[in-house]
Amino acid sequence: MSEDKAQSLREAALHFHEYPRPGKLEITPIKPLANTRDLSLAYSPGVATPCEEIAANPADAYRYTSKGNLVAVISNGTAVLGLGNIGALASKPVMEGKAVLFKKFAGIDSIDIEVNEQDPKKFIEIVAPLEPTFGGVNLEDIKAPECFEIEEALRERMNIPVFHDDQHGTAIIVAAAVINAMRLVGKDISKVKICTSGAGAAAIACMNMLIAVGAKRENIWIADSKGLVTKKRDNSVDRWRGAFAQDTDKTELAEVMDGADIYVGLSKAGALKPEMMKNMAPNPLILGLSNPTPEIMPELAKEARPDALVCTGRSDYPNQVNNVLCFPFLFRGALDCGATIINEEMKAAAAHAIAKLAHEPGLEATAHGVPAIFGPDYLIPNPFDQRLILRIAPAVAKAAMDSGVATRPIADFDAYRDQLRRFVFRSGMVMKPMIERAQAANKRIAFAEGEDERVLRAAQVILEDGIGKPILIGRPSVIESRLERFGLTIRPGSDFEIINPEDDPRYRDYVADFHALVGRKGVTPDTARTIVRTNTTVIGALAVRRGEADALICGLQGRFIKHARDIHSIIGLSEESNQLSALSMLLLNRGVFFLADTYVNIDPTADELVAITLQARDHLKRFNIEARAALLSYSNFGSRDGDTSIKMREVYDKLKAVAPDLVVEGEMQGDLAVNAELRSRYIPDSVLSGEANLLVFPNLEAANLSMTLLKELNNGLHIGPILMGTKQPAHIVAPTVTSRGLVNMAAIAATEAAGRL
């Protein structure tokens, strides 16, 4: 990295940590504290009741407190990655970061604790008494060999999981990489020779973990800063390294590299020289895990041995060994079954789960453009693969139960996986009824941009989950080559249908149908032929109109309004609609909110807003949600007059007349829509209780700005836009949609199609 880039990164990192508020964490209440009664329940006198219950039965702490979802990230700052012994206070940004990862990846609350004590015995005495507070302890950045002593003592004294991630997190990922690499090259792990530079906490744990998954201790050679660890170095080898001491006269790792199948580097940049690789076994596995510069750069390793498989700790190369692949999900499984310890069986289960996931095509492509398909450059999953928690947490929980350390065994693993799935995608809970109905309906969903990688990955999931039957519009040769490149197993003809814009037997019929629809709108027969050859949204809309598809999804390329015009011209409006409109669903930490109209009508009339509200109400019913509508304005119940406030009052009056059972209130400002106490100061007897979940805006400008700001400011998940008012289901997604977003939209479209039979 150049000096300028390094300085720029440094300044950006400091700004990130300082603004808009210092640090990376906050504590947020999860129970209401809006009035005196809430306070009396949360604190005195109500809090005495759960205290009494816990005093009588300590296990009830997991029922009445956050203990079961709370992990301590604890360090003394003696071995901070890349920085060394910088002390407890200076390590705090790292520990806060670890706590953020727990929350982001596994929904685990975490508190960082920096202990200003380097004496291991005193450190143990400080940490052990914290057991009543936490459900688990994650030790971090503590130097060897003290970390071994600390972890051993705390595991013995504490009846909750204690896990030194620098050791075991790295070891689990390394084990997964080794399992898959040996499988790929056809080697027996029990017979391979392993050479390791570095004999610190991570290196020792890696070797122990490899033994747990089948490697033999006698085949492992370790070197530290003083050379090869041998029995002749008794006076400079502690008991943890001594377990791997070989009986040999050789003194350097380079002397024993011949015939090695695996090299594990956990030492320093440049520790592995190209000449050391020359006589390694065929297809050697090189794990250069020093950061930021590995023991050997991948390019240099490949130059020395083109047959080598290479892993690093860096995110800019394939096969990244990153602890975030493991520790959040390992703790998730341990906490959820009430494990008293994280044992070898649980760690091995995590390693095998990670290894197995790499054999499934990735939902998204890797960051380097490497196909997410098992092979030399995809030995372990991407750290951001959303399925990691779905595979690792249940595997760990089951291993804990099987090994007898689970105090709260999981009775229904299907329900548990469903709970995890809802967390992973955040859309899981609200999408579940939609997905179940889609699975029962088995509708045909046409995708206008059928060659797009996101569509291909979504099609695989749609078929695997039984959500529907994809119809991909695109060139067969392009689709087939991309399926192969991305490692997807679905195939045209047997799994899904293709509509080929360049050569489809229905082309003449499509042109005739299209011209019949738009011939009196300035479209000549020649133009119609060109459009049907080149406009895949038109092709998909015609397929839906002709009954050859049940729904259309488009929008990955091109302008929204152009797609909307094509859909309007071909599919048309439903009998009860006079215009198209768009409903956006936002999943925020606070809950699920629907916003209308976010994409279509610039300045809808009062009658149009009434229709939009009623259409949105009907869509909410498909999610098993009763609409609670708020008509938004800058005015609160007549406090100010103006064009939009008067319009929203008119909308309210009309809705009360045509839909008396609809829970609706307005006109009002946004804070009153979601804050019942504020709203009651204006309208004490409002029919709207609690938060509104359907927010109806006076115009497109207000709706779209609000939707995009809410999404970004709250890290919200946007599902949609859901196009309303069409005669048959058709939806225009945002160009930034992910493959998971396409799966959600397919489920919505399929359910809508089923409901129109």
Side-chain angles (χ1 to χ4, degrees):
M1 183 182 294
S2 69
E3 186 175 336
D4 288 343
K5 285 186 177 180
Q7 182 60 28
S8 175
L9 178 62
R10 180 180 176 84
E11 292 174 358
L14 291 175
H15 187 277
F16 177 87
H17 282 79
E18 184 175 2
Y19 300 102
R21 292 167 53 191
K24 297 189 283 282
L25 295 171
E26 68 176 2
I27 293 176
T28 303
I30 59 172
K31 299 295 172 63
L33 288 171
N35 50 48
T36 302
R37 175 173 171 76
D38 290 343
L39 187 60
S40 69
L41 293 173
Y43 201 54
S44 181
V47 74
T49 304
C51 290
E52 291 168 345
E53 294 295 314
I54 294 169
N57 179 18
D60 279 347
Y62 292 94
R63 295 182 61 189
Y64 301 123
T65 77
S66 60
K67 177 180 172 70
N69 195 50
L70 189 61
V71 167
V73 176
I74 304 181
S75 179
N76 61 6
T78 54
V80 179
L81 181 65
L83 300 174
N85 188 350
I86 59 174
L89 181 60
S91 76
K92 187 171 178 62
V94 179
M95 302 312 126
E96 282 190 355
K98 196 64 173 269
V100 169
L101 296 179
F102 267 116
K103 186 67 173 179
K104 177 69 175 177
F105 284 93
I108 295 172
D109 294 316
S110 183
I111 294 176
D112 62 293
I113 300 176
E114 292 74 36
V115 180
N116 193 21
E117 180 55 70
Q118 297 194 15
D119 184 313
K121 290 183 172 55
K122 292 181 180 179
F123 186 92
I124 292 164
E125 294 304 321
I126 291 169
V127 175
L130 298 177
E131 180 177 340
T133 303
F134 298 100
V137 170
N138 183 94
L139 299 173
E140 193 77 16
D141 291 350
I142 302 171
K143 70 183 179 73
E146 288 90 337
C147 62
F148 301 123
E149 178 184 346
I150 288 169
E151 187 187 36
E152 284 181 3
L154 291 177
R155 281 164 59 100
E156 290 176 5
R157 290 180 56 175
M158 302 179 81
N159 203 35
I160 57 175
V162 177
F163 183 81
H164 187 206
D165 187 44
D166 299 325
Q167 295 182 53
H168 309 298
T170 301
I172 289 167
I173 314 305
V174 165
V178 168
I179 290 169
N180 274 343
M182 297 305 97
R183 176 175 176 178
L184 185 66
V185 299
K187 294 182 180 181
D188 183 344
I189 192 172
S190 68
K191 298 178 181 177
V192 297
K193 180 180 180 181
I194 303 169
C195 290
T196 303
S197 64
I204 298 300
C206 284
M207 297 307 105
N208 285 324
M209 191 73 243
L210 290 179
I211 291 171
V213 296
K216 298 299 183 184
R217 188 179 298 272
E218 59 266 25
N219 295 334
I220 296 174
W221 299 75
I222 290 180
D224 60 15
S225 60
K226 296 180 180 179
L228 204 61
V229 174
T230 69
K231 293 183 178 180
K232 296 184 178 181
R233 280 183 53 195
D234 286 345
N235 60 342
S236 61
V237 174
D238 57 49
R239 63 184 175 93
W240 294 281
R241 285 179 293 167
F244 294 94
Q246 294 276 14
D247 188 7
T248 180
D249 292 329
K250 295 177 180 178
T251 59
E252 299 296 333
L253 188 66
E255 298 178 66
V256 296
M257 284 289 290
D258 287 1
D261 299 277
I262 300 168
Y263 167 82
V264 182
L266 287 153
S267 52
K268 62 181 181 179
L272 179 63
K273 308 300 182 185
E275 55 269 24
M276 294 169 65
M277 298 177 59
K278 182 178 179 181
N279 294 321
M280 290 184 72
N283 305 117
L285 172 63
I286 308 299
L287 295 116
L289 306 182
S290 174
N291 261 321
T293 307
E295 284 74 8
I296 188 169
M297 292 299 292
E299 300 91 343
L300 195 56
K302 284 286 191 179
E303 183 180 337
R305 287 293 299 264
D307 60 337
L309 311 176
V310 183
C311 300
T312 72
R314 293 172 52 137
S315 61
D316 54 345
Y317 287 97
N319 294 326
Q320 183 191 13
V321 175
N322 187 328
N323 286 16
V324 81
L325 274 163
C326 171
F327 74 84
F329 320 121
L330 179 71
F331 265 98
R332 181 75 280 160
L335 292 174
D336 290 340
C337 70
T340 57
I341 192 172
I342 293 175
N343 58 27
E344 294 305 307
E345 292 87 347
M346 295 162 71
K347 289 184 283 186
H352 284 290
I354 293 167
K356 187 176 180 180
L357 179 57
H359 294 267
E360 302 178 30
L363 187 58
E364 305 288 351
T366 67
H368 342 278
V370 174
I373 174 175
F374 179 65
D377 290 327
Y378 193 70
L379 295 172
I380 45 180
N382 187 304
F384 289 92
D385 193 314
Q386 295 174 316
R387 298 168 299 179
L388 284 164
I389 192 173
L390 304 178
R391 304 294 191 271
I392 298 173
V396 168
K398 187 175 187 306
M401 292 162 57
D402 292 344
S403 59
V405 298
T407 61
R408 299 188 303 278
I410 295 170
D412 186 340
F413 270 91
D414 287 338
Y416 179 52
R417 291 187 185 93
D418 189 50
Q419 173 188 333
L420 295 173
R421 191 173 292 110
R422 291 199 300 268
F423 164 75
V424 170
F425 299 120
R426 289 186 293 173
S427 58
M429 186 175 297
V430 71
M431 286 300 301
K432 184 176 180 182
M434 201 68 77
I435 290 173
E436 288 176 347
R437 290 178 194 142
Q439 289 168 335
N442 200 25
K443 294 297 180 181
R444 300 162 298 170
I445 313 298
F447 288 89
E449 293 87 4
E451 297 175 3
D452 192 283
E453 178 184 352
R454 291 166 292 176
V455 170
L456 297 176
R457 294 186 183 281
Q460 174 106 19
V461 175
I462 290 166
L463 284 163
E464 288 178 352
D465 291 354
I467 291 171
K469 298 177 180 177
I471 300 173
L472 306 188
I473 302 171
R475 295 162 293 178
S477 60
V478 173
I479 291 173
E480 290 180 22
S481 66
R482 291 182 179 177
L483 288 172
E484 190 71 27
R485 185 197 314 168
F486 303 138
L488 301 174
T489 58
I490 57 174
R491 290 293 175 262
S494 57
D495 296 316
F496 64 90
E497 179 186 344
I498 290 179
I499 298 178
N500 182 4
E502 295 181 343
D503 184 22
D504 192 282
R506 296 163 291 189
Y507 171 69
R508 293 180 183 277
D509 294 335
Y510 275 36
V511 170
D513 289 348
F514 182 56
H515 188 259
L517 291 168
V518 299
R520 294 185 179 274
K521 297 179 182 179
V523 178
T524 66
D526 284 344
T527 302
R529 281 189 284 272
T530 300
I531 291 173
V532 175
R533 281 280 190 222
T534 59
N535 189 324
T536 55
T537 295
V538 167
I539 296 171
L542 287 167
V544 172
R545 181 182 177 88
R546 289 165 52 88
E548 295 165 356
D550 299 305
L552 168 67
I553 294 176
C554 60
L556 277 77
Q557 300 170 11
R559 295 185 301 135
F560 182 95
I561 199 63
K562 177 65 170 64
H563 292 288
R565 284 198 295 266
D566 291 336
I567 289 169
H568 187 285
S569 298
I570 299 169
I571 292 179
L573 302 176
S574 62
E575 293 181 0
E576 63 274 14
S577 300
N578 294 318
Q579 81 287 326
L580 297 176
S581 60
L583 178 69
S584 287
M585 178 166 54
L586 278 182
L587 282 89
L588 310 176
N589 289 333
R590 181 164 179 158
V592 181
F593 297 90
F594 294 83
L595 289 68
D597 166 16
T598 50
Y599 277 88
V600 181
N601 296 283
I602 295 175
D603 188 16
T605 66
D607 285 334
E608 288 172 336
L609 284 172
V610 168
I612 289 168
T613 304
L614 295 178
Q615 288 172 342
R617 173 201 62 184
D618 293 341
H619 271 280
L620 264 65
K621 288 179 181 177
R622 293 193 174 97
F623 291 94
N624 291 343
I625 296 173
E626 180 185 1
R628 302 189 303 276
L631 308 176
L632 301 183
S633 172
Y634 55 80
S635 168
N636 284 321
F637 308 104
S639 65
R640 293 183 64 182
D641 285 336
D643 291 344
T644 58
S645 61
I646 292 172
K647 177 169 67 173
M648 299 310 278
R649 281 176 226 159
E650 185 179 352
V651 173
Y652 175 78
D653 292 336
K654 289 176 178 289
L655 283 170
K656 296 305 290 183
V658 301
D661 294 334
L662 174 66
V663 176
V664 61
E665 193 58 272
E667 87 285 7
M668 60 180 148
Q669 295 175 0
D671 54 352
L672 269 66
V674 295
N675 189 318
E677 184 178 4
L678 284 179
R679 189 168 60 248
S680 67
R681 298 176 190 175
Y682 288 84
I683 307 291
D685 57 349
S686 172
V687 297
L688 176 60
S689 61
E691 294 180 335
N693 55 21
L694 173 57
L695 307 178
V696 181
F697 292 84
N699 53 48
L700 180 61
E701 185 174 37
N704 189 269
L705 284 173
S706 297
M707 186 269 292
T708 52
L709 278 171
L710 281 170
K711 178 172 72 73
E712 289 303 315
L713 291 176
N714 294 279
N715 192 29
L717 176 64
H718 176 219
I719 297 179
I722 301 168
L723 195 63
M724 302 190 296
T726 57
K727 191 171 185 178
Q728 294 164 283
H731 298 290
I732 309 164
V733 298
T736 55
V737 69
T738 64
S739 57
R740 172 53 56 178
L742 290 170
V743 172
N744 286 333
M745 289 307 301
I748 290 171
T751 302
E752 190 179 354
R756 297 194 184 195
L757 294 177

